Amino acid sequence: MLRIYPVPEEEEAARQGEALDTPLGLAEAYAYPPREAGPYLRANMVGSLDGAARAEGRSAPLSSDADMRVFGVLRALADVILVGAETARHEGYRPAKARAAFAARRAADGQSPAPAIAVISRRLDLDFDAPLFAAPSVPTLLLTGAGAPRAALDRARAAGAEVVIAGEGDGVEPARVVRELAARGHARLLHEGGPRVLAQFAAAGVLDELCLTVSPLLTGGDAPRIMNGPGVTPPARYVPRSVLEEDGFLFTRYVRA
Ligand SMILES: NC(=O)c1ccc[n+]([C@@H]2O[C@H](COP(=O)([O-])OP(=O)(O)OC[C@H]3O[C@@H](n4cnc5c(N)ncnc54)[C@H](OP(=O)(O)O)[C@@H]3O)[C@@H](O)[C@H]2O)c1
């Protein structure tokens, strides 16, 4: 993998490239701010060259080996991974794996061996017998509103999920999600979409960082962009922190200005 921004000094380029090829070296390139600075919400998404957030109904056809390495490292750095219910259903979400390469680092940081998954849902039409809820090493969180269906809430709790009420209506309010997770000790937040939930977090002004993989594929069609919901008004400015490249894929990291 190459760093193409900030442009490294010539003699640094080879050393940095080698470091980026190791999980811990790549982790350095994506370090979260210090915990004392408070909760920090990063999103990681992939889009085609023409802006599609999915191809053939899924994000996998837009991805690459290097994209999966970045995806895995961002997970390994996070306390908790937020995901919309539709993405969890569609992509068959399972508990995140603990990785040996990050075990010591996570333990020293006071993190659980693997990040928890936090599913965002209103209807709670989820398979609570699936491994995501029934067999995680860290309890899966269910983020929903106060008006969520009672019977499904009971099923979720019985399956071992930690229910977090983060909204007054049937849905969650993004700023409250961040507060509720922070209150449970989760400061390093990673949002994996999908487009409908991510748009709400961006519109609410709580998105600190966007890691966007630009896939070198044209898909055409009518797929949504990586955010598909309320607008960010006025548009919010983000500044590039880094751009990495491998195999024609660009791994951009933008932070809120
Ligand atoms: N390109 C990428 O990086 C990327 C990343 C992720 C996903 N994707 C793709 O995106 C597609 C799925 O995304 P999507 O945008 O359709 O769905 P999504 O954002 O993953 O999930 C939408 C669901 O989230 C729940 N929800 C939405 N707003 C809520 C709120 N305020 N409070 C509580 N729950 C709320 C609802 O769940 P209930 O119906 O359960 O109430 C809703 O149906 C898939 O094709 C997936 O492959 C692409």
Side-chain angles (χ1 to χ4, degrees), residues 45-46 53-54 57-59 84-87 89-91 120-123 171-172 192 194-197 200:
M45 300 293 283
V46 58
R54 60 182 184 217
R58 299 181 65 235
S59 51
E86 192 58 27
T87 297
R89 287 187 286 255
H90 209 78
E91 306 260 354
I120 302 171
S121 175
R122 281 194 184 92
R123 297 181 298 126
V172 304
E192 292 187 343
R196 282 187 286 155
V197 285
Q200 297 171 48

Side-chain angles (χ1 to χ4, degrees), residues 3 26 53 55 61 65 68 86 88 90 95 101 123 135 171 177 192 211 213 229 240:
R3 176 182 295 283
L26 194 52
D65 288 350
M68 291 319 295
E86 192 58 27
H90 209 78
R123 297 181 298 126
V177 167
E192 292 187 343
C211 294
T213 298

Side-chain angles (χ1 to χ4, degrees), residues 32-42 75 77-82 106 109-119 138-143 162-164 174-190 208:
Y32 274 90
R35 251 174 219 287
E36 306 76 73
Y40 187 87
L41 177 62
R42 156 187 287 166
R75 283 188 155 207
L77 293 174
D79 295 345
V80 62
I81 298 165
L82 286 71
R106 288 187 66 94
D109 246 349
Q111 292 177 300
S112 53
I117 305 273
V119 181
V138 204
T140 291
L141 303 165
L142 184 59
L143 299 169
E162 182 179 349
V163 172
V164 177
R176 186 157 159 195
V177 167
V178 173
R179 284 200 305 276
E180 296 286 349
L181 292 174
R184 287 161 177 78
H186 299 307
R188 297 180 179 167
L189 315 179
L190 175 64
D208 296 300

Side-chain angles (χ1 to χ4, degrees), residues 125-151:
D125 179 14
L126 296 156
D127 180 2
F128 295 115
D129 296 326
L132 178 58
F133 292 101
S137 57
V138 204
T140 291
L141 303 165
L142 184 59
L143 299 169
T144 191
R150 290 288 123 200

